[in-house]
Amino acid sequence: MKNYDTLIKDLAPKKFGKRGVIWIIFLIAIIIAGIIAYIDQIIKGQVVTNMRDYALWGIYISNFVFFVATSFVGSVTVAILRLTNNTWRTPLVRIAEIISVAAIIMAGITIMIDMARPDRILNLFIHARLQSPITWDVIIIPTYIVISLLLLYFPLLPDFAILKKYFKEEKPSLSKRYGFLSLNWTGSKAQKILQEKSVKIIAIMIIPVGILLQTIDAWLFSTTYRVGWDSTNFAPYFISGAFVAGVGALVTVIYIVRKIKKLEYYITDSHFDKMGKLLVLACLIYLYFNINEYLIPAFTAKKGEAVHLDTLFTGHYATLFWLVTIGGLVVPIVVLLFKKGRKPLPMFFIGLIVVIGSWWKRYVIVTPTLLHPFLPIQGVPESWRHYFPSLHEWLITIATLAMALLIITLLVRYLPVIPIQRTADEQELLKTDKNTKS
Amino acid sequence: MEDKNNSRRKFLGKGLKLGLVTAIGGIGLTKLATNLNAKNNNHSEDKMELMTTDGTLIQVDSSEVIEMNHSQDHDKKHNVREGFPNRKFVMVVDLAKCKNALKCQSACNKHHYVTGDNAWVKVYKMQESKDTAPYWMPTTCQHCDKPACVTVCPVDATFKRKDGLVLIDNERCIGCRFCMAACPYSTRVFNWSEPKQGETSEITMEMDMEHHDHGASDPEHAGVPSIKGTVDKCDFCPHSIQNNELPHCVTACPNGVFYFGDKYEDTVTNGEETVRLSKLLTDKAGYRLLEGLGTEPSVYYLPPTDRLVDFEDGLKHYTEFQSVEKPE
Amino acid sequence: MRNQLKFRSIFLVILCVFLLVTGFQQLYAQNAKKNKVRLKAQYVKIMDGEIAINIKATSKIKKKNIKVANLEITVYNELEDEKIKLGTTTTNIKGESKFVIKNTNAIKADSTNTYTIKISFKGNDSYKKASKSISFKDAVIKAKLITKDSLNYISATLIDKSTDSVIVDEGLAVQVQRLFSPLIIGKAFNTTDKNGTILVPIEKGIPGVNGNLIIEVVLDDSDNYGTVKALVNAPIGTPIIDESTFNKRTMWSPRNKTPLFILIFTNILIIGIWGILLYLITNLFKISKSKI
């Protein structure tokens, strides 16, 4: 049991080491390259991508879907685990909230990159048609951004107050900033009541909003006639996919943060074990939906479906499909079913595989369908029958991923990654428990 | 003495003749020069790039381009989003007559200044299964009565009118391409880059739209001009209907494949025959494309029965990878 | 001496050739661009309405027939001894022009009761001059709608105005006015009987705005009488019913006609959720302000 002061010292934000600085510079370099590519796209038009009239959506959209899916981790870890009274979640929630915020903000930015006329973005608000699924997206994403920020902020209030005190002597200006953000938090009864009530409300609200977010994201595809998209299964399929992507991202980031900040005391092997179980659960549910989505249509093998499944199982996209399904889904399940697989290091690799698999899975969802429309592709250049992202698309997409990592890095740098006050409270409780017992 | 006089006379004589020759020669030369110069001058002054009737880009001096009154009546008697009153436009495509002549495609490309790689009217080489006969199927936008494209547009840029037409407001479109994803007929095309419509279009477009802002597009004259980052498609030529003329594909077809008309009047015409729509559809078993999707298209097809032409005749015009002729 | 002569003659020859070439070029320049124009004229008379001369100008350039725009055409009424100028008109971008004459009283016929209209173009830099004459006699169609035994008919009589006698054995077309091209009722040609009349039944069920049909009885492009058209208002059509969903609330309507379910449901969700979010944000302020 650590005492209070050591607790704060362990968890307070520390300056970047050499590695941190190099990492930041690396990310900024990638982002700058992406911005240059984007400016070129604005000038020349989206012809710089490899999207054309048939493959009309490409990795900008699949990247967007990936970000939306990853942002679900906030709802899962913070809210669902809270409502199911899983107390082991405490050291993980802050990082989960941080990932959520970064992902949903980047989702908002990424979708704007796909618009060919970003100068007319206000039209989405002035002339909005409520019948369009894109309008629902325009409503739900800012809503989720605000909720995620509030979910991050409210529990931070006591921690900011602690940090204000901690940095008062050595770093007075930093201390002042934390003080400003702490909103005069004194830990008074009135404040605590307000805060706890608020967090409770957010935690309950974020679940339906999070589910709504994933559902609307799925409806962008399933409200069309296209084979491979026109599926009644799509919304729950996307929700479970988000569960997988979110927890995968959580595991990966937690491993790295834990290692760099030396938080092994707080985030123990037991935490990884539990996260592993959660991830297996997520993957199993997702596997179930995958079977429904890909295996069952093969039963009736309607012409359109047959062509689509053929492309995925044995055709042009076969390698990718089996890699993301077996590698990104089945292998994690198998590994994580064993206790040894749920140790931190294997968990990190599995998390990484799950995240990468998630990203490419969404590529497999978006592109193949567009390349077999109802009427044959004729009268257009041969290159229009295929799609692979161009250099511009890769630069911009990787830049958005770098930006997400940058947001996460900066938040992890300046915020206590494990809730200090709550950890203190819980450990005190344990202490008093022990005391009363003995 | 005489020799001197003679030589003087000769000298004068020669001089005079030389002078005369020079004078006449000079006049002649200057005339020649001005003629040539006139030709050259025109080249160096206002030169414009125009597109000829067969789609080649040529240079012409602007003095030779005359201001014309294209359409008489620019006072729109109807609201652009509502359309011609008491009309419901339909098209009937007789597959028994289509030879893949592709005149419809070139006329449409020309009159809408389609310069991308995807034409708005495409003639598909269709064959449902290996035992059923192949045929040529021209498709335009189907102007569905339950348009999926309109339903998904987030900014009301594409709209369904009372007269049946589905049009696009290129000033509003944000380029999200959701309408293209939603359309099951793959009929919409996108301007991925600045459309290479050349100066031609600006000149003739100015004449076409005397009362419209130069450079602003008009949903009733799609493609004039096309705008980067927005979507385009067949518009059933409301600019022609305004003048009581048939859409360009209908008039261009040498085989009378396209019929066009007003469903409320129950009459369609291909320029030669004018028939009752209901009778045509009953007699020749008309149907619609992808009827099962419930889009309720406004384009009817007459099955390729009792064919007037051989399918194979159309193969010589078939360009699998091209639908817009590029200028040299 | 001889050399001088040779020299001079060569000089003169060169000079002559030079002059010839430039002169020739001038001439050639003038005639090179001029093409032949073919003018077509059609006389169309609408009963109790205007008379029009429909003019079309075409030219064959490089083996293609093109329409000639912007030609100034003068229209004359030609009699045996005089030529009365009726006016001028200019062809539009399609090479067409419609010259309207108010009625037959505005033009004079010759001694044989034949009207002759001549259209001429005096030529310009690009085109040679051209002209075309058409002659016609004045014919009149009297048409009306008859209902017999609850069946509708169009009865029409063709009369030669100059002799005031009926015209027998001439083909008349009966058609309904439609948007692009009229719809023919019955046979393509209905021949006038010995009384110069035709009787054509009109089938039921032809749609029209408010049930109104405008039926045309047409003598089309006859050699003697040109084109004569009589219009009959026949309120015997089936009224058009507007089938469009334009005024309804549908998934594809503009934003001002959003389906009520979507409108209400989404607004309840938005107001509900954002109401709570605003409450939470005010809680932040409350926390900040609370002192203890």
Side-chain angles (χ1 to χ4, degrees):
Chain A
M1 203 93 335
K2 295 210 172 183
N3 70 15
Y4 194 62
D5 288 322
T6 332
L7 187 77
I8 298 177
K9 193 152 171 257
D10 282 342
L11 301 179
K14 298 179 180 69
K15 256 173 101 164
F16 275 128
K18 208 196 265 178
R19 278 187 301 180
V21 173
I22 294 176
W23 172 243
I24 297 273
I25 292 176
F26 172 64
L27 289 177
I28 291 180
I30 296 177
I31 293 171
I32 290 176
I35 291 177
I36 294 174
Y38 183 62
I39 292 173
D40 198 33
Q41 183 181 285
I42 298 272
I43 296 172
K44 295 205 184 106
Q46 292 206 344
V47 68
V48 302
T49 67
N50 274 341
M51 292 189 283
R52 295 293 181 263
D53 289 358
Y54 285 92
L56 48 105
W57 282 342
I59 57 170
Y60 291 156
I61 294 286
S62 56
N63 192 34
F64 163 74
V65 177
F66 171 74
F67 277 129
V68 169
T70 310
S71 72
F72 195 51
V73 66
S75 310
V76 172
T77 331
V78 182
I80 297 176
L81 288 182
R82 175 194 168 100
L83 291 176
T84 48
N85 273 324
N86 279 299
T87 45
W88 53 269
R89 74 184 189 284
T90 307
L92 314 172
V93 291
R94 181 95 7 102
I95 297 178
E97 289 154 15
I98 288 175
I99 298 174
S100 237
V101 166
I104 195 61
I105 289 176
M106 286 320 298
I109 293 177
T110 307
I111 197 62
M112 291 197 276
I113 292 176
D114 183 68
M115 275 172 67
R117 294 300 306 232
D119 56 313
R120 295 178 182 175
I121 196 165
L122 286 177
N123 284 354
L124 280 169
F125 299 98
I126 305 171
H127 297 291
R129 282 181 73 249
L130 276 176
Q131 296 103 314
S132 168
I134 285 187
T135 306
W136 308 337
D137 227 10
V138 169
I139 296 171
I140 197 73
I141 288 181
T143 309
Y144 198 75
I145 290 179
V146 172
I147 287 189
S148 296
L149 283 169
L150 287 174
L151 185 61
L152 180 63
Y153 192 42
F154 268 100
L156 270 172
L157 292 172
D159 288 359
F160 280 143
I162 293 174
L163 290 176
K164 170 177 159 202
K165 236 190 275 175
Y166 179 77
F167 284 112
K168 204 166 189 171
E169 280 154 37
E170 287 172 13
K171 295 196 180 125
S173 54
L174 189 62
S175 162
K176 254 204 195 134
R177 279 190 220 126
Y178 280 129
F180 174 69
L181 286 171
S182 73
L183 298 180
N184 303 328
W185 179 265
T186 52
S188 70
K189 202 166 184 196
Q191 284 180 334
K192 268 205 186 149
I193 291 175
L194 274 171
Q195 191 229 27
E196 273 160 26
K197 187 161 56 162
S198 303
V199 173
K200 200 176 193 180
I201 292 175
I202 299 175
I204 296 176
M205 200 165 65
I206 201 175
I207 298 174
V209 176
I211 289 179
L212 205 55
L213 173 68
Q214 301 306 319
T215 307
I216 289 174
D217 196 32
W219 285 351
L220 283 174
F221 302 96
S222 63
T223 51
T224 65
Y225 293 112
R226 297 203 178 237
V227 172
W229 287 357
D230 187 15
S231 161
T232 53
N233 201 26
F234 244 49
Y237 174 52
F238 268 49
I239 294 173
S240 58
F243 195 1
V244 170
V247 178
L250 182 66
V251 164
T252 319
V253 174
I254 285 199
Y255 181 83
I256 295 174
V257 170
R258 173 191 188 243
K259 199 148 198 171
I260 289 178
K261 288 193 173 246
K262 302 195 182 36
L263 297 168
E264 288 82 357
Y265 179 78
Y266 301 93
I267 304 174
T268 61
D269 279 14
S270 159
H271 286 103
F272 277 91
D273 184 63
K274 295 225 171 54
M275 278 201 289
K277 287 185 184 157
L278 188 63
L279 188 53
V280 166
L281 179 66
C283 288
L284 281 169
I285 299 176
Y286 193 43
L287 184 65
Y288 172 74
F289 279 106
N290 267 275
I291 292 172
N292 272 287
E293 186 64 32
Y294 294 108
L295 209 55
I296 291 309
F299 194 93
T300 46
K302 287 204 296 234
K303 266 198 170 154
E305 295 281 353
V307 169
H308 179 63
L309 292 177
D310 204 54
T311 319
L312 296 178
F313 291 166
T314 56
H316 189 74
Y317 290 92
T319 328
L320 201 53
F321 176 76
W322 291 116
L323 266 174
V324 299
T325 308
I326 307 279
L329 200 52
V330 177
V331 164
I333 292 175
V334 169
V335 172
L336 295 176
L337 280 173
F338 297 96
K339 190 141 180 141
K340 274 226 177 103
R342 296 196 293 273
K343 287 232 153 81
L345 188 60
M347 283 281 299
F348 169 67
F349 285 116
I350 294 293
L352 211 55
I353 291 173
V354 164
V355 169
I356 296 174
S358 288
W359 195 93
W360 281 102
K361 180 66 196 288
R362 277 132 189 97
Y363 178 85
V364 168
I365 290 175
V366 172
T367 305
T369 294
L370 289 168
L371 290 175
H372 37 249
F374 288 102
L375 293 179
I377 303 181
Q378 293 173 6
V380 294
E382 209 274 332
S383 60
W384 289 25
R385 295 185 185 190
H386 317 285
Y387 170 73
F388 189 75
S390 70
L391 181 65
H392 282 78
E393 288 175 277
W394 280 123
L395 285 174
I396 292 173
T397 303
I398 293 175
T400 59
L401 293 165
M403 214 183 276
L405 289 175
L406 184 66
I407 297 175
I408 294 174
T409 310
L410 290 174
L411 289 175
V412 162
R413 157 72 180 89
Y414 287 102
L415 302 177
V417 293
I418 294 177
I420 305 176
Q421 186 63 56
R422 256 177 66 193
T423 315
D425 288 340
E426 276 171 18
Q427 294 201 341
E428 232 126 80
L429 277 166
L430 284 164
K431 221 201 250 175
T432 38
D433 243 351
K434 265 203 177 152
N435 282 345
T436 45
K437 274 192 189 146
S438 59
Chain B
M1 208 43 167
E2 261 218 31
D3 264 323
K4 248 199 192 161
N5 275 346
N6 264 349
S7 57
R8 209 191 295 139
R9 229 179 275 142
K10 272 192 206 145
F11 181 76
L12 280 172
K14 265 201 203 141
L16 260 166
K17 280 185 198 138
L18 196 63
L20 199 64
V21 169
T22 324
I24 297 175
I27 296 171
L29 267 170
T30 27
K31 278 253 156 136
L32 194 68
T34 36
N35 263 353
L36 284 169
N37 238 16
K39 285 198 192 125
N40 283 333
N41 261 354
N42 287 338
H43 277 288
S44 56
E45 265 174 45
D46 293 329
K47 216 169 28 154
M48 344 186 103
E49 202 179 65
L50 296 185
M51 201 182 278
T52 62
T53 46
D54 47 11
T56 42
L57 279 174
I58 56 167
Q59 302 283 4
V60 171
D61 52 296
S62 53
S63 55
E64 286 190 15
V65 178
I66 320 158
E67 176 104 15
M68 296 278 180
N69 233 332
H70 233 196
S71 4
Q72 275 75 5
D73 199 347
H74 270 287
D75 295 320
K76 291 271 192 293
K77 296 191 182 88
H78 57 256
N79 175 315
V80 170
R81 293 216 165 212
E82 196 170 326
F84 298 95
N86 295 318
R87 302 268 177 222
K88 184 184 177 351
F89 296 110
V90 292
M91 182 179 270
V92 182
V93 179
D94 192 351
L95 297 175
K97 297 189 192 143
C98 183
K99 260 192 208 164
N100 195 33
L102 289 177
K103 297 282 183 251
C104 51
Q105 193 175 79
S106 31
C108 174
N109 288 347
K110 180 177 114 171
H111 287 279
H112 290 273
Y113 307 97
V114 176
T115 51
D117 284 315
N118 201 357
W120 298 0
V121 55
K122 295 230 283 258
V123 181
Y124 287 102
K125 175 152 93 70
M126 299 290 284
Q127 181 166 14
E128 263 77 39
S129 70
K130 67 170 173 59
D131 293 327
T132 54
Y135 56 96
W136 299 105
M137 185 172 83
T139 51
T140 56
C141 166
Q142 308 282 298
H143 295 271
C144 305
D145 284 342
K146 296 201 172 136
C149 56
V150 176
T151 305
V152 298
C153 179
V155 293
D156 223 356
T158 185
F159 51 94
K160 172 83 178 168
R161 307 204 310 188
K162 206 165 184 184
D163 61 4
L165 303 191
V166 174
L167 300 181
I168 301 172
D169 179 356
N170 290 91
E171 299 297 318
R172 179 93 60 92
C173 177
I174 57 169
C176 68
R177 308 183 300 288
F178 202 176
C179 58
M180 292 174 76
C183 176
Y185 303 98
S186 311
T187 196
R188 285 172 172 250
V189 312
F190 197 69
N191 297 302
W192 298 97
S193 59
E194 189 67 55
K196 297 185 191 70
Q197 290 175 324
E199 282 177 338
T200 324
S201 12
E202 280 172 28
I203 299 152
T204 42
M205 283 180 209
E206 262 187 79
M207 300 184 223
D208 262 340
M209 311 186 319
E210 279 166 5
H211 297 262
H212 299 273
D213 303 310
H214 170 54
S217 64
D218 172 21
E220 289 198 324
H221 203 158
V224 182
S226 282
I227 298 190
K228 175 178 107 176
T230 64
V231 73
D232 276 329
K233 67 173 187 67
C234 153
D235 58 358
F236 264 8
C237 296
H239 45 279
S240 298
I241 299 174
Q242 178 88 16
N243 298 330
N244 283 51
E245 279 160 22
L246 293 164
H248 291 109
C249 51
V250 181
T251 40
C253 178
N255 303 308
V257 172
F258 294 91
Y259 293 79
F260 190 78
D262 174 4
K263 183 167 190 238
Y264 290 159
E265 277 185 347
D266 198 30
T267 305
V268 290
T269 178
N270 65 0
E272 308 274 305
E273 314 159 48
T274 307
V275 292
R276 286 197 69 169
L277 173 69
S278 44
K279 188 168 189 308
L280 187 64
L281 294 178
T282 319
D283 289 349
K284 298 213 178 163
Y287 65 93
R288 296 185 295 192
L289 277 188
L290 302 179
E291 181 78 53
L293 294 182
T295 50
E296 309 286 344
S298 300
V299 178
Y300 295 85
Y301 284 86
L302 305 179
T305 175
D306 292 335
R307 289 209 226 181
L308 299 173
V309 297
D310 269 337
F311 170 77
E312 283 73 24
D313 284 347
L315 284 172
K316 58 177 176 280
H317 295 294
Y318 181 52
T319 49
E320 191 175 2
F321 302 116
Q322 190 186 24
S323 53
V324 180
E325 261 178 50
K326 297 295 187 179
E328 297 308 302
Chain C
M1 244 347 231
R2 239 176 264 140
N3 275 346
Q4 266 194 350
L5 201 62
K6 237 198 227 167
F7 205 64
R8 234 183 263 161
S9 45
I10 294 171
F11 214 66
L12 273 167
V13 171
I14 295 172
L15 179 65
C16 288
V17 171
F18 201 75
L19 286 170
L20 267 164
V21 168
T22 44
F24 201 56
Q25 225 200 24
Q26 300 267 39
L27 238 109
Y28 188 72
Q30 287 217 354
N31 278 337
K33 289 188 198 166
K34 279 203 179 180
N35 287 304
K36 245 206 255 182
V37 179
R38 188 184 302 157
L39 291 175
K40 269 192 229 159
Q42 188 199 25
Y43 154 76
V44 178
K45 168 174 144 164
I46 299 183
M47 293 306 305
D48 303 323
E50 62 183 26
I51 294 179
I53 309 287
N54 288 330
I55 301 171
K56 282 202 183 102
T58 55
S59 180
K60 204 160 195 173
I61 298 183
K62 289 187 197 168
K63 294 203 177 160
K64 266 202 204 159
N65 264 327
I66 62 145
K67 302 176 174 138
V68 187
N70 235 10
L71 291 187
E72 199 183 285
I73 313 272
T74 323
V75 184
Y76 298 97
N77 181 200
E78 268 193 333
L79 300 172
E80 281 117 350
D81 48 355
E82 54 176 323
K83 202 158 100 167
I84 309 169
K85 177 172 162 178
L86 296 172
T88 55
T89 178
T90 318
T91 54
N92 64 15
I93 196 148
K94 287 205 252 105
E96 294 171 0
S97 175
K98 180 164 136 175
F99 185 80
V100 176
I101 304 170
K102 232 192 296 181
N103 50 43
T104 28
N105 297 332
I107 46 175
K108 290 198 208 145
D110 60 17
S111 48
T112 64
N113 277 320
T114 312
Y115 298 87
T116 308
I117 300 286
K118 177 171 176 180
I119 59 170
S120 77
F121 164 61
K122 64 178 192 280
N124 64 15
D125 290 332
S126 321
Y127 294 99
K128 292 191 203 160
K129 62 180 168 122
S131 68
K132 183 88 203 267
S133 275
I134 49 169
S135 309
F136 50 86
K137 289 206 170 114
D138 192 12
V140 157
I141 299 179
K142 290 209 172 89
K144 58 181 192 282
L145 178 72
I146 300 176
T147 316
K148 220 173 18 178
D149 300 328
S150 76
L151 289 168
N152 296 306
Y153 299 85
I154 286 284
S155 154
T157 313
L158 184 62
I159 299 167
D160 183 333
K161 187 116 179 265
S162 52
T163 56
D164 238 347
S165 59
V166 296
I167 306 171
V168 182
D169 243 355
E170 192 73 65
L172 293 178
V174 179
Q175 52 201 31
V176 186
Q177 263 189 3
R178 303 274 80 164
L179 178 57
F180 298 108
S181 181
L183 181 67
I184 294 190
I185 298 176
K187 302 189 293 236
F189 278 112
N190 304 284
T191 331
T192 53
D193 60 14
K194 58 177 165 52
N195 294 320
T197 50
I198 56 163
L199 187 71
V200 179
I202 305 175
E203 66 239 46
K204 285 203 191 358
I206 302 179
V209 179
N210 295 327
N212 258 335
L213 300 176
I214 299 180
I215 299 183
E216 304 178 338
V217 181
V218 186
L219 172 66
D220 198 17
D221 218 13
S222 81
D223 298 323
N224 298 324
Y225 305 103
T227 304
V228 185
K229 216 186 256 196
L231 303 176
V232 180
N233 261 319
I236 53 168
T238 21
I240 288 173
I241 306 167
D242 178 24
E243 295 169 348
S244 87
T245 57
F246 189 76
N247 292 319
K248 301 204 185 92
R249 290 183 181 275
T250 60
M251 286 302 282
W252 54 89
S253 344
R255 54 184 265 131
N256 56 355
K257 290 212 163 49
T258 323
L260 283 173
F261 172 72
I262 290 189
L263 200 58
I264 295 173
F265 189 67
T266 45
N267 277 303
I268 288 179
L269 273 179
I270 295 171
I271 293 172
I273 295 177
W274 278 90
I276 298 176
L277 291 179
L278 284 170
Y279 163 72
L280 291 168
I281 294 174
T282 54
N283 272 359
L284 287 174
F285 283 104
K286 273 196 207 155
I287 289 176
S288 159
K289 290 228 174 66
S290 92
K291 297 169 170 108
I292 289 175

